[in-house]
Amino acid sequence: MKILQVGKFYPVMGGVEKVMYDLTLGLSGRHIPCDMLCAAAGKHPPGMIQLNEFARLLCMPVRIKISATMISPAMILKLRKIRREYDIIHIHHPDPMACLALFLSGYKGKVVLHWHSDILKQKMLLKLYKPLQQWLIKRADIIVGTTPVYVRQSPFLKKVRGKLDDIPIGIDPLEANPDSIARIKKRYEGKKIIFSLGRLVEYKGYEYLINAALYLGDDYMILIGGNGPLKGALSRLIEKLGVCSKVELLGFIPDQNEIAAYFMACDVFCLSSIWKTEAFGIVQIEAMSCGKPVVATCIAESGVSWVNADGVSGYNVEPGNAEALADAIKRILTDPERYAELSVGARHRFETMFTQEKMMNKCLKLYHDLLG
């Protein structure tokens, strides 16, 4: 069995690329040949990288970027050249370039379509891409989502219910240097720490998390890690509301060990997203791996509130409701017994559903079933 993961770009910057890369490493780590074909992002040089004995990263040059899509004609040429080497092509959506490459490749084998999310924001792109997307849905032998909720709620997949399945995202538990954890706790000594992490963009709903500080006492501290186009606006909002002593924008945190330290040092993790663009929320399971209760939102048709089981690993509240976010945070942090229950529940949910081993096992079973 030889597998090719196709889609998006490298280096890893988001959830789709992380899943592709983790599958490639996980399969090859079990001595199953698995390559990854993608576009080169930013200043990363194109070319072939031998990841290990059983895996290659095939990174193709980009001609231009349009509507967040890397246009790489080289992906088409490469896939046409290597298509006969693979028993299964596992294509990751949404990525029009990957779909076009498959369409023009002449590949005749089995296709797994990994439906990470619908195309929601780029309306013009969707109009142009829709016929190709419909071809891909029809061409796929099986369509998997990151949660059972998202694929069954997607308006694009209503006519193909019979070939839907899911592979929940899995990760290795986070680990951090004890000194780094202690340093963060000392910096915010006497404070209940609420941590959030993500790009500072509209769908993340950070304005509501910042407004939630108005309903929290002075012994609470909201820490938001990440960078993005709304950094200036969110900074001004913090000043306008007068919550500088209760909210801090940490900026981009480049060191993975430092990120893990914030997860370990916090008391609660909060995912305040408001749109279906947030399909899963990997940060939730990162927090759960540290035994941290999660406050998230009930986004219609998204898998976010499925990942965070309400009353088990944390609480889910109405999107865009600052007071509800604050109330959920206080319910957790003002009841030590309930906090302990949710902490244990978060870790247990991670271990039973969201480990990398479980993701790999489910993926392998799907491959074997597909090949008979």
Side-chain angles (χ1 to χ4, degrees):
M1 180 166 62
K2 190 172 182 181
I3 314 298
L4 180 66
Q5 309 286 331
V6 182
K8 286 289 182 175
F9 42 77
Y10 185 85
V12 172
M13 288 184 278
V16 177
E17 308 91 77
K18 177 173 171 53
V19 170
M20 285 179 60
Y21 190 69
D22 286 353
L23 287 175
T24 301
L25 289 182
L27 289 165
S28 59
R30 298 187 183 195
H31 295 181
I32 297 166
C34 182
D35 296 332
M36 175 173 159
L37 175 64
C38 62
K43 296 180 180 180
H44 190 274
M48 191 274 284
I49 302 171
Q50 192 75 43
L51 297 175
N52 56 48
E53 184 182 352
F54 296 92
R56 299 175 300 168
L57 175 61
L58 308 171
C59 206
M60 299 294 105
V62 172
R63 183 72 61 83
I64 193 173
K65 183 178 178 181
I66 302 174
S67 297
T69 299
M70 306 288 187
I71 306 301
S72 174
M75 281 184 67
I76 301 170
L77 299 174
K78 187 66 173 180
L79 188 52
R80 285 188 63 85
K81 184 177 180 180
I82 64 176
R83 68 184 188 273
R84 292 187 178 88
E85 297 179 25
Y86 302 98
D87 301 295
I88 296 173
I89 286 183
H90 189 147
I91 188 164
H92 294 261
H93 174 92
D95 184 15
M97 189 66 239
C99 181
L100 181 62
L102 181 67
F103 179 73
L104 297 175
S105 71
Y107 177 72
K108 303 298 182 184
K110 299 292 185 179
V111 172
V112 174
L113 171 55
H114 211 128
W115 194 274
H116 292 267
S117 70
D118 302 339
I119 294 177
L120 299 169
K121 192 174 180 181
Q122 293 91 3
K123 302 295 186 183
M124 184 58 67
L125 174 65
L126 181 58
K127 285 183 179 180
L128 297 172
Y129 174 54
K130 195 171 182 179
L132 197 57
Q133 178 177 272
Q134 290 173 332
W135 170 85
L136 180 60
I137 291 168
K138 185 178 180 181
R139 172 67 178 85
D141 295 280
I142 189 164
I143 301 171
V144 297
T146 54
T147 68
V149 177
Y150 201 101
V151 285
R152 283 169 176 78
Q153 294 291 329
S154 172
F156 302 102
L157 303 177
K158 287 182 178 179
K159 296 181 180 179
V160 290
R161 302 285 194 213
K163 56 181 179 181
L164 298 182
D165 206 332
D166 60 271
I167 304 175
I169 296 172
I171 61 167
D172 289 327
L174 299 188
E175 295 180 359
N177 184 308
D179 291 339
S180 298
I181 299 169
R183 187 171 63 253
I184 294 169
K185 287 189 172 184
K186 184 171 178 58
R187 189 186 310 154
Y188 302 103
E189 194 170 1
K191 300 276 191 175
K192 300 179 180 74
I193 300 173
I194 299 95
F195 181 50
S196 192
L197 180 70
R199 274 183 46 77
L200 306 184
V201 291
E202 191 173 359
Y203 80 84
K204 291 291 185 179
Y206 285 129
E207 63 181 287
Y208 302 103
L209 181 55
I210 292 169
N211 271 279
L214 294 172
Y215 304 96
L216 298 172
D218 291 335
D219 56 338
Y220 288 81
M221 173 58 76
I222 297 170
L223 302 177
I224 301 173
N227 211 340
L230 293 185
K231 184 177 181 180
L234 294 176
S235 296
R236 290 190 292 274
L237 178 62
I238 292 169
E239 292 182 13
K240 178 183 175 182
L241 296 177
V243 292
C244 296
S245 63
K246 292 190 282 185
V247 184
E248 184 177 332
L249 300 182
L250 300 172
F252 178 65
I253 308 171
D255 186 85
Q256 291 301 311
N257 292 322
E258 188 72 4
I259 290 175
Y262 275 104
F263 274 104
M264 296 293 288
C266 78
D267 297 293
V268 167
F269 183 84
C270 186
L271 183 69
S272 55
S273 299
I274 54 174
W275 296 349
K276 189 185 173 186
T277 308
E278 191 75 81
F280 183 94
I282 293 177
V283 286
Q284 295 189 102
I285 61 175
E286 290 177 327
M288 289 178 198
S289 79
C290 302
K292 303 300 178 177
V294 175
V295 172
T297 50
C298 303
I299 305 169
E301 300 180 359
S302 168
V304 165
S305 57
W306 177 86
V307 175
N308 182 39
D310 191 70
V312 176
S313 55
Y315 294 122
N316 297 313
V317 303
E318 179 188 15
N321 189 327
E323 189 172 1
L325 287 173
D327 286 346
I329 291 168
K330 287 187 287 188
R331 283 171 66 193
I332 295 171
L333 293 180
T334 56
D335 185 341
E337 186 176 332
R338 188 64 180 134
Y339 182 89
E341 290 173 355
L342 292 173
S343 180
V344 170
R347 178 69 189 196
H348 183 260
R349 186 161 177 80
F350 167 76
E351 290 174 344
T352 55
M353 298 188 67
F354 301 118
T355 65
Q356 191 169 96
E357 182 181 12
K358 290 190 178 297
M359 179 175 72
M360 296 310 309
N361 289 343
K362 180 71 184 283
C363 188
L364 271 175
K365 183 182 184 303
L366 185 147
Y367 289 162
H368 285 303
D369 290 348
L370 197 56
L371 294 175

